[in-house]
């Protein structure tokens, strides 16, 4: 049974504590959403955090009052029921207080880190704008290096493909030359014609080597130019 005391009955105080828990829980969730939704690393709402802290303090005060009242309930079954209810309210209030304390610690740590970063940048360079400009220039330089590296890789891949084509054409030329020699031998052409064909094959081979060397030099100079 609920006992009438100054400030309300046990049931009335319990209902007030439940409403306070709802407000405090909603406030803590809002603070955590604000903390995680901002790209700058967290946002503090002093008014909201103060209101949540005040609600939790009031709930804990009501728990002290309810803890005194449930012990005066005559029926043991009702007394045990109220004991569990009051303990549940107290545990939820303690959990919310712990979450709020952790929020305050994280917020204080963010503020300290921001202040230390500002002081460090100020000591190192005189002003943070100059540091940001340096960071931006370094980022641009790194991007330029990445672009040059990508262009060099593409050029190397192109050169490799060209050399592969040369090798493929060489094999085709060898096969054609062998077939031509077979045909010429069959029709009984003179040795002078055969020597002429061999010299042409020798010249073509040198042309191929020169082309490969030129390709390597072009790739080398292009790499030196882009680096």
């Amino acid at each position: 049974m609920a006992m009438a005391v100054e400030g309300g009955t046990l049931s009335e105080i319990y209902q007030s504590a439940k409403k306070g828990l709802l407000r405090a829980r909603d406030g803590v969730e809002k603070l955590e959403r604000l903390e995680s939704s901002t790209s700058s690393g967290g946002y503090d709402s002093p008014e909201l955090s103060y209101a949540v802290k005040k609600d939790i303090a009031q709930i804990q005060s009501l728990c002290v009052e309810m803890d005194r009242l449930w012990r005066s309930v005559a029926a043991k079954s009702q007394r045990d029921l109220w004991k569990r209810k009051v303990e549940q309210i107290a545990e939820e209030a303690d959990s919310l207080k712990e979450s709020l304390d952790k929020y305050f610690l994280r917020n204080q740590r963010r503020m300290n880190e921001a202040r230390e970063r500002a002081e460090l940048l100020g000591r190192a360079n005189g002003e943070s704008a100059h540091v940001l400009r340096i960071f931006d220039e370094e980022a641009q330089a790194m991007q330029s290096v990445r672009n040059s590296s990508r262009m060099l890789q593409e050029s190397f891949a192109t050169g490799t493909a060209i050399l592969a084509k040369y090798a493929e054409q060489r094999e085709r030329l060898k096969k054609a030359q062998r077939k031509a020699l077979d045909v010429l031998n069959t029709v009984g052409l003179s040795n002078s014609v055969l020597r002429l064909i061999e010299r042409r094959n020798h010249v073509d081979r040198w042309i191929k080597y020169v082309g490969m060397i030129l390709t390597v030099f072009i790739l080398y100079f292009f790499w030196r130019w882009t680096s």
Side-chain angles (χ1 to χ4, degrees):
M1 58 176 291
M3 296 182 61
V5 296
E6 183 179 357
T9 64
L10 180 56
S11 295
E12 291 172 345
I13 296 175
Y14 176 79
Q15 293 301 322
S16 297
K18 290 285 288 184
K19 291 178 181 179
L21 275 178
L22 292 176
R23 287 195 307 271
R25 188 182 301 114
D26 183 64
V28 170
E29 291 175 354
K30 287 181 179 178
L31 289 173
E32 291 176 346
R33 285 197 298 270
L34 285 173
E35 182 183 24
S36 61
S37 64
T38 54
S39 58
S40 59
Y43 173 76
D44 182 31
S45 176
E47 297 82 3
L48 180 57
S49 58
Y50 175 77
V52 174
K53 184 177 181 179
K54 183 178 179 182
D55 283 337
I56 293 175
Q58 290 177 345
I59 294 168
Q60 291 177 328
S61 177
L62 293 176
C63 286
V64 172
E65 181 67 16
M66 287 189 295
D67 187 67
R68 183 181 64 83
L69 291 176
W70 71 258
R71 299 175 186 276
S72 301
V73 177
K76 185 179 184 306
S77 59
Q78 290 293 318
R79 190 165 58 249
D80 292 340
L81 177 61
W82 278 113
K83 178 184 177 182
R84 288 194 299 271
K85 287 184 176 182
V86 173
E87 288 176 347
Q88 183 180 6
I89 292 291
E91 290 174 358
E92 293 184 20
D94 290 341
S95 177
L96 289 175
K97 185 178 184 301
E98 182 180 358
S99 298
L100 185 63
D101 290 342
K102 290 180 179 179
Y103 167 81
F104 284 140
L105 287 175
R106 291 193 302 269
N107 189 60
Q108 185 63 40
R109 184 167 60 249
R110 285 193 301 271
M111 293 175 62
N112 292 337
E113 291 173 353
R115 184 174 59 255
E116 290 173 359
R117 285 195 300 269
E119 292 176 353
L120 179 62
L121 293 177
R123 288 195 302 269
N125 302 281
E127 55 182 19
S128 59
H130 179 61
V131 175
L132 293 176
R133 184 168 62 253
I134 292 176
F135 287 164
D136 184 61
E137 291 174 355
E138 290 181 353
Q140 292 179 359
M142 290 298 296
Q143 183 63 37
S144 177
V145 170
R146 285 193 292 268
N147 292 338
S148 298
S149 177
R150 186 175 63 254
M151 293 175 64
L152 182 60
Q153 290 176 356
E154 293 175 353
S155 300
F156 181 78
T158 302
T160 303
I162 292 174
L163 294 178
K165 286 293 183 181
Y166 278 145
E168 182 181 351
Q169 291 176 0
R170 176 188 176 188
E171 293 300 325
R172 291 180 180 176
L173 183 59
K174 282 185 177 180
K175 291 180 181 179
Q177 287 174 347
R178 283 196 297 267
K179 290 182 180 179
L181 289 175
D182 291 340
V183 173
L184 291 175
N185 288 330
T186 301
V187 298
L189 292 180
S190 64
N191 291 332
S192 61
V193 176
L194 294 176
R195 286 195 297 272
L196 177 62
I197 293 174
E198 290 177 356
R199 284 197 298 272
R200 179 58 184 271
N201 184 28
H202 184 71
V203 172
D204 290 341
R205 186 181 300 111
W206 275 106
I207 291 173
K208 178 194 65 177
Y209 291 151
V210 170
M212 294 172 64
I213 293 172
L214 287 176
T215 301
V216 172
F217 272 109
I218 290 172
L219 290 174
Y220 174 76
F221 285 117
F222 179 79
W223 176 77
R224 291 294 304 272
W225 179 74
T226 56
S227 62

